[in-house]
Amino acid sequence: MTCVVYVDNTNLIEVVGLKSAIEGSFVNDADVSVTVKDAEGTNVSGQTWPATLTYVTASEGNYRGIIEDDVALTAGTTYYAHIDANAGANRIGHWEFAFVARTRRAT
């Protein structure tokens, strides 16, 4: 998973194609959330965690949420997004990925 997160910017986070491994079908009815943590496992300040990712209407398992511009990220520092999905009935998921915060620059 590749993710670019810019310091002092509103950032979009997406889960694309959430699927039940047991049923083999897309999950469109889950409670999905994200929490951003630092290397020590502490929630990053500036936003209330977990933040909700909302189902994208008429999609196949796509969810979107916002990492707010007030989140205390430092450029060049590695952070970890912890994503949880719960659709009940043995449809629970958790995964994590690392990202390095960047300063947005004009091209």
Side-chain angles (χ1 to χ4, degrees), residues 13-69:
I13 184 165
E14 294 183 297
V15 171
V16 177
L18 183 62
K19 209 170 193 182
S20 169
I22 295 169
E23 300 164 342
S25 59
F26 290 105
V27 177
N28 299 328
D29 60 348
D31 292 323
V32 181
S33 63
V34 63
T35 301
V36 175
K37 299 182 182 234
D38 63 18
E40 287 76 40
T42 303
N43 292 1
V44 177
S45 65
Q47 183 166 344
T48 301
W49 305 110
T52 300
L53 278 66
T54 305
Y55 172 68
V56 177
T57 304
S59 71
E60 293 184 321
N62 297 344
Y63 293 80
R64 283 190 188 137
I66 298 293
I67 297 175
E68 298 173 5
D69 62 302

Side-chain angles (χ1 to χ4, degrees), residues 55-107:
Y55 172 68
V56 177
T57 304
S59 71
E60 293 184 321
N62 297 344
Y63 293 80
R64 283 190 188 137
I66 298 293
I67 297 175
E68 298 173 5
D69 62 302
D70 290 335
V71 171
L73 302 176
T74 301
T77 301
T78 300
Y79 297 93
Y80 301 86
H82 295 246
I83 299 177
D84 291 291
N86 184 341
N90 295 320
R91 297 184 305 160
I92 308 289
H94 172 85
W95 57 100
E96 303 172 11
F97 65 91
F99 65 89
V100 176
R102 297 182 186 175
T103 299
R104 177 171 265 162
R105 303 198 188 281
T107 55

